[in-house]
Amino acid sequence: MLVLTGAKMPQKSIRFGVGNVSLHSATWKLWTETSGGHSEIYLACRALGGELKASMHQSGNWHVAFSQSNYKDRVEGAIPSLASRFTDKWPQPPEIAEGVTLAFRIVTPETAVSSNSEVKNSKKVKWVPPPPQIKAIEIYIIITTPYAKIPEWPGKNPMGTELIGSFQLNNKNTVWAVSKIGKGKGHFFKGKSKSDLKEFNNIRALVFGDNPDGSRVIYDIAVSSGTS
């Protein structure tokens, strides 16, 4: 997909989320800017409006950071341990197979498919079917070189991933978003159930973590079921 932003900056992008336009999790945008000859990759939760995003630079210097304005107006000084707008910095992870780099995993448990808020430009969003109860959808952001030996898309065999979308960078590498149902199970504390989430007022959270392989993971968590 090739789009133009309001600033007339040409992009290739994928918008995706788990659920459907009526009941869904957070929605995401994965994109690259095609002008200037660079091959930078960006990932952001669309509800945050670009105020916090992951940047995967061609140089191999990757980070998650607040926008300059958001950090200055809302974050600086509020979190004593955060001395700059960068919440995480790390080098590009090593390849998990020849020509294949796992950049991010986005984990969406069944309980997070709970928002009925309006989705901007919903027709452009690729919807991933929600997982069964106490399961989660794992979305993998993967980068491949032209020399990678893969089937139609990464993980199709033997992992059984489903393709969400892809685009090619200026350097001829390809960025993929694929999904599958995770093997793990979610659990409530003793005496708690999904109905307990109704006590809260539509609170949602994104939890960032890292993996032993050098990739990063984001957990999309709902503290509210979105119903009353």
Side-chain angles (χ1 to χ4, degrees):
M1 179 186 295
L2 179 64
V3 299
L4 292 176
T5 68
K8 306 300 182 181
M9 183 72 72
Q11 297 182 347
K12 293 178 181 177
S13 67
I14 307 167
R15 296 175 174 86
F16 58 89
V18 178
N20 55 57
V21 69
S22 299
L23 195 65
H24 51 83
S25 65
T27 61
W28 302 82
K29 181 180 177 181
L30 177 68
W31 77 98
T32 186
E33 295 174 354
T34 58
S35 62
H38 301 295
S39 295
E40 319 289 10
I41 309 164
Y42 305 98
L43 174 67
C45 177
R46 298 175 71 223
L48 297 180
E51 297 297 344
L52 179 71
K53 70 179 180 182
S55 300
M56 292 157 273
H57 293 297
Q58 185 176 353
S59 65
N61 297 318
W62 292 9
H63 65 252
V64 175
F66 290 102
S67 68
Q68 292 278 11
S69 59
N70 191 39
Y71 177 75
K72 182 178 180 180
D73 295 341
R74 304 180 64 184
V75 181
E76 188 174 16
I79 305 175
S81 61
L82 192 61
S84 73
R85 68 186 186 93
F86 297 94
T87 65
D88 191 14
K89 294 182 180 181
W90 69 101
Q92 180 173 336
E95 295 179 348
I96 59 173
E98 183 180 359
V100 180
T101 299
L102 174 60
F104 269 91
R105 283 191 305 128
I106 301 172
V107 180
T108 304
E110 174 258 342
T111 52
V113 186
S114 59
S115 175
N116 54 15
S117 61
E118 182 179 358
V119 178
K120 185 178 180 181
N121 296 323
S122 60
K123 291 183 179 179
K124 296 181 180 180
V125 176
K126 174 67 175 181
W127 294 110
V128 177
Q133 287 189 345
I134 67 170
K135 290 286 189 178
I137 292 293
E138 294 186 356
I139 295 174
Y140 301 89
I141 308 303
I142 297 172
I143 306 166
T144 60
T145 70
Y147 310 104
K149 298 177 181 179
I150 59 172
E152 295 178 58
W153 60 81
K156 180 181 180 182
N157 296 311
M159 291 176 60
T161 60
E162 296 291 336
L163 177 65
I164 299 173
S166 66
F167 53 78
Q168 190 177 76
L169 301 173
N170 288 328
N171 63 5
K172 306 303 181 183
N173 288 350
T174 301
V175 179
W176 307 82
V178 300
S179 68
K180 70 183 296 292
I181 297 176
K183 294 181 180 180
K185 294 182 178 181
H187 300 276
F188 289 96
F189 285 113
K190 291 181 179 180
K192 300 297 181 179
S193 67
K194 186 176 180 179
S195 63
D196 291 290
L197 297 177
K198 297 178 182 179
E199 299 177 7
F200 299 90
N201 185 24
N202 198 29
I203 300 173
R204 305 186 67 87
L206 298 179
V207 179
F208 291 76
D210 57 89
N211 295 308
D213 60 16
S215 64
R216 290 313 193 250
V217 60
I218 305 172
Y219 295 92
D220 179 9
I221 299 174
V223 187
S224 168
S225 66
T227 60
S228 58

